[in-house]
Amino acid sequence: MDPRHVRTAADARAIVEHRGLDHVKIGVFDIDGIMRGKYMARDKFFAALESGFGFCDVVLGWDSNDQLYDNVKVTGWHTAYPDAMVRILPETCRAVPFEGDMLLFLAEFTGEAEAVCPRGVLRRVLKRAADMGYKVEAAAEFEFFMFEETPHSVRAKSYRDLKNVTPGFFGYSMLRNSVHAEFYKELLDLGAGMDFPIESLHTETGPGVIEAAIVHDEALAAADKAALFKTFTKIMAQRRGWMATFMAKWSPDWPGQSGHLHMSLSAGDGGSVFFDAAAPHTMSDTMRWFVGGQQHLMPELLSMIACTVNSYTRLIPGFWAPTEANWGVENRTCALRIISGSPKSQRIEYRIAAADINPYIALACAIGSGLWGIEHRLDPGDPVPGNAYAMAFPPERGLPRTLSEAAGRLLESAAARDLFGDAFVDHYAATRDWEEREFRKAVTDWELARYFEII
């Protein structure tokens, strides 16, 4: 049986038995989009397919460095870190190509923990869309830098003087992708084999930077594909003695790394609700309202997109990253880019996102804010012509400049609470506040160079 044909618990049991597996891999994605998981014995897996299993809820109560939050209610020392129930998702079955016949299944939190589960929050937003009569298609594209380094070498170097896989400015380079054709083929084959097929793959401008666009799918499946792409690209790189980073910006000398999201809405009959042949830019009223909601709520919801302290080093003028909540038609200087054309191609590119996103939370934000715009019939105004960096916008279009500020805006957002629920908003905002407080403990190289001698 092909793993991509698994749909039910019975299918999952059958493929495990057919492959003679004693164990399978189970993974969940945490608040930061990091995959946490384990090998699970076959008999336990079969039982868990029916009734779920307990997974220590500390993965919802610690950061990307496994440090425990001191400001969340969902879990902590006050709850003694109990198990939270998790459901296995048979339809997410994947073969793991470098582990023989091994299979991977994704899972998601249920019960009380479901309120803060990243996959759960996206599911709730998509249910809202379905209740409105819409189906959402989405896709992600990521830029990432590749290094001839290992987890040990980068630490030994204190993350300085790292060796990129290739040097120089070589955007869309046939030279670079031909010299390293084996790596490109390996990554393309990985995507095909693990059901996150790559639509396009090319070098970007900068040393060792690559961009991959993942084939579109229904939005929940698209988020699975994006999260798995990030995880297994890093795994594949490390298995060959390299490293990939999806930081928003790893160096002040190079542009940041985008994680742009594409999305479109269709009706029950499959027809596009974004396309109107008679309208300017073929944008239907529904599409205009969707864009209006995204633009209006972007300053309030930014922490769900710009989710790390590092995210905000990318959001500066002139570096291919938006600095205001604005939109334009085929305009890459705007936060929202409208791609117009045929009913099949009419879509929105959510360009504010960087490669460091948690795909589930980022898509929940981008789609949820658009649905909110439809519900409230928010018109976005006129599109921005030309260079958005050179234009002035109303203060309400301005974006928070720090993660802490963005988390505070999220806490105060009535729309966020309506879209995502109080439990998620309170928990997520607390985790972002924690992230910035951890950063404030650091003494950076910039501070040492600026103040050590002269002050």
Side-chain angles (χ1 to χ4, degrees):
M1 177 185 289
D2 188 326
R4 287 169 290 192
H5 296 158
V6 173
R7 291 293 179 269
T8 66
D11 292 339
R13 286 193 297 271
I15 193 171
V16 169
E17 289 173 342
H18 177 74
R19 294 192 174 209
L21 298 176
D22 294 324
H23 293 81
V24 297
K25 299 185 92 163
I26 305 294
V28 297
F29 285 95
D30 71 9
I31 291 293
D32 288 294
I34 297 167
M35 195 178 200
R36 309 283 187 169
K38 61 179 75 176
Y39 289 95
M40 181 178 284
R42 178 167 70 172
D43 289 345
K44 182 173 181 178
F45 173 70
F46 287 168
L49 281 169
E50 303 299 334
S51 56
F53 69 97
F55 199 117
C56 180
D57 76 357
V58 73
V59 302
L60 297 171
W62 66 17
D63 65 15
S64 60
N65 193 40
D66 293 6
Q67 301 304 299
L68 302 173
Y69 300 131
D70 64 5
N71 60 345
V72 299
K73 296 179 180 178
V74 170
T75 189
W77 292 120
H78 60 288
T79 66
Y81 296 106
D83 281 350
M85 290 307 295
V86 169
R87 70 167 67 93
I88 295 172
L89 306 165
E91 68 276 14
T92 65
C93 179
R94 263 94 170 167
V96 184
F98 37 75
E99 292 192 49
D101 287 331
M102 180 56 62
L103 294 171
L104 166 70
F105 292 84
L106 298 184
E108 62 185 9
F109 288 96
T110 64
E112 291 184 9
E114 188 168 356
V116 300
C117 174
R119 198 174 191 273
V121 74
L122 177 56
R123 271 196 305 98
R124 293 194 296 276
V125 166
L126 295 175
K127 182 181 184 304
R128 190 182 190 116
D131 290 344
M132 296 169 66
Y134 302 130
K135 177 183 176 182
V136 187
E137 294 271 320
E141 55 185 30
F142 293 107
E143 295 172 354
F144 54 100
F145 277 81
M146 300 292 300
F147 300 89
E148 288 186 30
E149 301 286 353
T150 70
H152 290 294
S153 72
V154 293
R155 286 164 172 81
K157 293 180 174 183
S158 297
Y159 299 90
R160 291 191 291 270
D161 301 320
L162 303 182
K163 184 179 180 182
N164 299 83
V165 168
T166 57
F169 293 86
F170 280 78
Y172 296 98
S173 173
M174 296 298 284
L175 173 63
R176 291 287 188 243
N177 70 18
S178 298
V179 169
H180 292 283
E182 293 82 5
F183 167 74
Y184 282 81
K185 184 178 188 305
E186 189 177 357
L187 186 55
L188 291 169
D189 289 347
L190 179 71
M194 293 196 72
D195 193 24
F196 48 82
I198 297 170
E199 186 174 74
S200 66
L201 185 66
H202 63 86
T203 61
E204 259 292 354
T205 296
V209 62
I210 297 171
E211 180 173 336
I214 304 168
V215 172
H216 70 89
D217 203 336
E218 183 275 326
L220 189 59
D224 290 338
K225 294 178 194 300
L228 286 165
F229 171 81
K230 290 180 66 175
T231 301
F232 280 90
T233 296
K234 288 183 281 190
I235 290 169
M236 192 192 81
Q238 290 191 28
R239 286 176 62 83
R240 61 168 26 230
W242 291 0
M243 290 190 76
T245 183
F246 289 81
M247 285 181 66
K249 193 169 186 179
W250 75 272
S251 168
D253 300 324
W254 302 101
Q257 302 179 125
S258 68
H260 297 160
L261 302 170
H262 294 250
M263 62 209 72
S264 63
L265 263 61
S266 59
D269 61 1
S272 171
V273 298
F274 278 179
F275 181 82
D276 182 348
H281 315 300
T282 61
M283 288 179 68
S284 68
D285 286 342
T286 301
M287 187 179 192
R288 288 186 63 85
W289 297 331
F290 195 92
V291 172
Q294 290 182 319
Q295 178 177 258
H296 183 82
L297 291 183
M298 191 178 292
E300 298 178 28
L301 308 185
L302 185 64
S303 65
M304 296 175 66
I305 298 292
C307 53
T308 70
V309 171
N310 181 250
S311 303
Y312 296 81
T313 65
R314 170 178 168 268
L315 302 178
I316 57 177
F319 273 88
W320 296 100
T323 54
E324 311 283 343
N326 50 35
W327 74 283
V329 179
E330 288 292 356
N331 190 333
R332 286 184 167 88
T333 69
C334 292
L336 301 166
R337 172 185 168 226
I338 305 309
I339 301 169
S340 57
S342 69
K344 289 186 177 180
S345 64
Q346 186 93 6
R347 66 190 187 275
I348 299 165
E349 182 184 26
Y350 201 87
R351 293 181 57 82
I352 196 74
D356 60 352
I357 55 170
N358 179 330
Y360 299 103
I361 293 175
L363 276 171
C365 170
I367 295 166
S369 57
L371 296 176
W372 196 84
I374 294 173
E375 291 170 347
H376 294 82
R377 298 196 168 197
L378 291 181
D379 190 88
D382 294 330
V384 174
N387 183 2
Y389 301 128
M391 299 180 65
F393 294 92
E396 60 268 21
R397 300 275 190 90
L399 300 175
R401 297 305 183 197
T402 67
L403 182 58
S404 181
E405 181 189 349
R409 292 289 300 273
L410 182 68
L411 272 177
E412 297 171 357
S413 173
R417 294 182 180 279
D418 178 42
L419 289 166
F420 315 120
D422 289 334
F424 174 80
V425 170
D426 290 339
H427 182 72
Y428 185 77
T431 69
R432 298 310 94 188
D433 179 69
W434 162 273
E435 190 75 10
E436 178 122 341
R437 285 194 287 123
E438 286 294 281
F439 171 69
R440 289 176 189 162
K441 296 177 183 178
V443 179
T444 66
D445 290 349
W446 184 91
E447 290 170 282
L448 289 171
R450 192 170 186 89
Y451 302 131
F452 188 89
E453 178 182 5
I454 199 69
I455 291 297

